[in-house]
Amino acid sequence: METLRVGIVGAGWMGHVHARAWAENAPRGEVVAVADVSAERVKHLAAEIGRDVHSFADLEGMLDGAEIDAVDICLPHHLHTEAIVAAARAGKAILCEKPLCTNLDDAAAVRAALQQSGSVFMAAHNQLFQPSLIEARRLLASGALGRPFVFRSIEAVQNRGFASGRHQRDIGGGESPWVWRADVARMGGGEVIDTGWHAAYRLLALAEDRPVEVSAMMDRYAVKQLAAEDTGVILVRFASGAIGEMLTSWAFGPVGNWHFEVGAEHGSMAGGQGRLVHQLHGWPEPVEFAPFTHTLALTFASEVTHFLDVVQRGEASQASFDHAARVLQLTLAAYAAAEGHCVVALPEDPTLPGVPATSGELARA
Ligand SMILES: NC(=O)c1ccc[n+]([C@@H]2O[C@H](COP(=O)([O-])OP(=O)(O)OC[C@H]3O[C@@H](n4cnc5c(N)ncnc54)[C@H](O)[C@@H]3O)[C@@H](O)[C@H]2O)c1
């Protein structure tokens, strides 16, 4: 199998994290080019990669000047659409950090570009590869717990980055990631479209079902630098009738760091970073699986392995355009529901916006 030659655009925090994930997957894939508006960051990442990589100031330069098969997009949110479309037009396979983009018109433009080029696209939904979630999905698919009807997905941490204004570690000069995150135009919203994105795709992966209605409440409690929300609680009705709940925040971290919970016909289940517990109804004690080895780095390495499986072996993507577009539709509908104090209904086409479902009835109530 030939080595997939990869160009990373965006040599910031995630650019560095992805480069390490690619290194874990050598020789199936190899980063051969890096692009960033900050020459200092390009230099820093190239030094960390430790081989000869071609350096560029932007994606266009990289697409013109580097021999690459794939583009790995690690840019701020408002730049995702343009980068995906350019990479698709150049015929590259694409791995793109979350969110897919920040509005549904862009999602439709991305879909058109991908359809035209036939490029492979995968959303960088790293937490799909959390071992406890993989095992939980296997358990659900086995039917051991019977029909599931309540799902909860939690992604919450007290974010101190905005207060410090710095990256978690030194990655060379450039703009602080907390500056563009505090700018709603570049971010596309607040915490819910950023960290909340993980809660949303986890919820959809557990439910394996189409969301049809959304309601939500959001507010800002702790991160004063944000103009938008730092916390959201979002309720989802699925086509099967099952109910989902997302809890996501930069204001607090949950006790025990649990990430999900499922209520089903024969039992319940809860999962965290390194833990998965289930309890059949009527049984006196929960049963804990052997602890999982969990590191965030492992999820990123597994995400790149999956991308390679999709590109090189034609495997079905667990984070296709449709998956990512559905997360965006749900996220934007949650914003609309919170702002309009209403329930929002979601069309089947994930690039179409939700519409208020019951505002008339609520107004009359
Ligand atoms: N999966 C996760 O857990 C996770 C965690 C953090 C960030 N992310 C995502 O990764 C992406 C990047 O976030 P980050 O925290 O790494 O941000 P960052 O600010 O650290 O990195 C972004 C980089 O893009 C560069 N850049 C900006 N405009 C550019 C342009 N026009 N051309 C080339 N380079 C440009 C910046 O100089 C910067 O180095 C976002 O989509 C974010 O949501 C995902």
Side-chain angles (χ1 to χ4, degrees):
M1 189 173 286
E2 279 185 16
T3 298
L4 191 83
R5 298 163 302 177
V6 182
I8 292 182
V9 57
W13 177 12
M14 274 305 111
H16 283 69
V17 169
H18 282 212
R20 288 196 286 279
W22 282 105
E24 290 290 323
N25 282 277
R28 288 185 68 191
E30 190 171 88
V31 177
V32 299
V34 173
D36 198 293
V37 285
S38 160
E40 203 182 324
R41 283 201 185 158
V42 171
K43 212 168 134 195
H44 193 278
L45 182 52
E48 184 165 308
I49 291 169
R51 280 178 288 98
D52 252 2
V53 294
H54 297 281
S55 302
F56 298 92
D58 53 34
L59 177 60
E60 294 72 47
M62 187 163 83
L63 290 172
D64 285 346
E67 289 193 7
I68 52 174
D69 309 301
V71 175
D72 181 353
I73 300 168
C74 297
L75 294 168
H77 302 172
H78 67 301
L79 299 173
H80 288 187
T81 303
E82 205 183 314
I84 299 169
V85 169
R89 287 199 179 130
K92 310 300 177 193
I94 301 156
L95 176 64
C96 182
E97 258 304 341
K98 47 96 202 94
L100 170 66
C101 50
T102 58
N103 64 73
L104 292 170
D105 286 346
D106 280 13
V110 164
R111 178 165 67 185
L114 293 173
Q115 280 171 348
Q116 240 170 17
S117 71
S119 290
V120 169
F121 172 88
M122 189 179 123
H125 291 175
N126 64 298
Q127 299 209 30
L128 284 180
F129 306 98
Q130 187 174 341
S132 60
L133 180 64
I134 292 172
E135 195 53 43
R137 293 178 73 189
R138 204 176 289 152
L139 190 66
L140 283 173
S142 77
L145 295 183
R147 184 172 63 90
F149 31 71
V150 171
F151 302 92
R152 175 181 288 155
S153 175
I154 305 163
E155 193 69 29
V157 63
Q158 191 172 63
N159 186 325
R160 300 187 177 164
F162 286 93
S164 78
R166 291 194 303 274
H167 274 106
Q168 285 178 325
R169 65 190 190 97
D170 178 30
I171 54 166
E175 184 189 47
S176 158
W178 309 112
V179 172
W180 66 257
R181 279 184 169 84
D183 174 359
V184 175
R186 289 195 279 171
M187 176 78 148
E191 188 274 342
V192 168
I193 199 168
D194 193 337
T195 292
W197 190 271
H198 298 291
Y201 67 70
R202 185 190 296 115
L203 185 75
L204 299 186
L206 281 166
E208 304 258 21
D209 198 359
R210 182 167 84 79
V212 294
E213 278 183 2
V214 183
S215 58
M217 290 188 189
M218 302 180 191
D219 215 324
R220 191 195 66 178
Y221 297 102
V223 185
K224 303 282 179 272
Q225 293 83 353
L226 284 176
E229 82 289 346
D230 64 19
T231 299
V233 177
I234 297 160
L235 285 178
V236 179
R237 172 75 76 176
F238 288 98
S240 66
I243 299 170
E245 182 197 30
M246 288 160 52
L247 170 58
T248 186
S249 183
W250 278 338
F252 74 100
V255 172
N257 220 358
W258 293 102
H259 273 164
F260 57 87
E261 207 175 322
V262 179
E265 200 180 357
H266 304 315
S268 300
M269 172 169 63
Q273 290 194 329
R275 300 180 66 189
L276 183 64
V277 178
H278 76 284
Q279 182 163 10
L280 296 182
H281 301 315
W283 281 35
E285 298 292 337
V287 178
E288 178 143 12
F289 284 68
F292 298 97
T293 307
H294 173 87
T295 60
L296 265 180
L298 176 74
T299 65
F300 288 108
S302 303
E303 160 190 293
V304 166
T305 306
H306 182 57
F307 181 64
L308 286 163
D309 288 342
V310 173
V311 175
Q312 295 175 327
R313 298 180 177 154
E315 284 189 13
S317 173
Q318 292 186 41
S320 64
F321 168 83
D322 280 355
H323 286 107
R326 187 68 75 199
V327 177
L328 180 68
Q329 182 196 47
L330 174 63
T331 302
L332 297 179
Y335 278 121
E339 199 180 320
H341 300 273
C342 62
V343 176
V344 169
L346 297 177
E348 189 152 2
D349 179 343
T351 66
L352 293 179
V355 288
T358 56
S359 52
E361 286 86 335
L362 288 177
R364 279 196 298 276

